[in-house]
């Protein structure tokens, strides 16, 4: 996708994914073509409560279109000393 060198072009139409409807973003390339990107689609339920320290559980399907235009939250590594 050209990373950060590509410029945001437009929101994509809604696509029906196995997890539910998603809307991404188009990135214009140097040659004028547009590549669709879908960022931050959750693949699993958040590991909180009884799911903490367990194997990932597939995310339940959603009904409303999810705007997948930015990455999801990063893991906090406050305990990591480098």
């Amino acid at each position: 996708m050209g990373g950060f060198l590509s410029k945001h072009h437009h929101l994509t139409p809604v696509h029906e994914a196995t997890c539910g409807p998603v809307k991404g973003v188009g990135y214009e390339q140097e040659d004028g073509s547009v590549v669709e990107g879908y960022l931050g689609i959750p693949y699993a339920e958040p590991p909180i409560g009884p799911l903490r320290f367990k194997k990932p559980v597939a995310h339940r399907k959603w009904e409303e279109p999810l705007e997948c235009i930015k990455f999801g939250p990063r893991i906090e590594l406050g305990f990591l000393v480098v």
Side-chain angles (χ1 to χ4, degrees):
M1 279 198 312
F4 295 106
L5 299 178
S6 299
K7 65 180 182 178
H8 172 257
H9 182 65
H10 67 280
L11 288 176
T12 65
V14 175
H15 292 287
E16 191 63 41
T18 56
C19 50
V22 293
K23 184 181 268 192
V25 66
Y27 295 94
E28 188 174 333
Q29 304 301 293
E30 289 179 2
D31 65 1
S33 64
V34 175
V35 176
E36 293 182 357
Y38 300 88
L39 308 174
I41 298 176
Y43 68 92
E45 290 293 330
I48 54 177
L51 297 178
R52 188 162 172 87
F53 303 115
K54 304 287 185 196
K55 290 183 179 181
V57 174
H59 200 286
R60 64 189 175 282
K61 188 172 181 174
W62 51 84
E63 302 298 322
E64 295 297 317
L66 182 65
E67 284 199 359
C68 302
I69 59 175
K70 62 181 181 177
F71 289 107
R74 300 175 104 185
I75 186 169
E76 289 189 35
L77 296 176
F79 61 89
L80 186 64
V81 178
V82 181

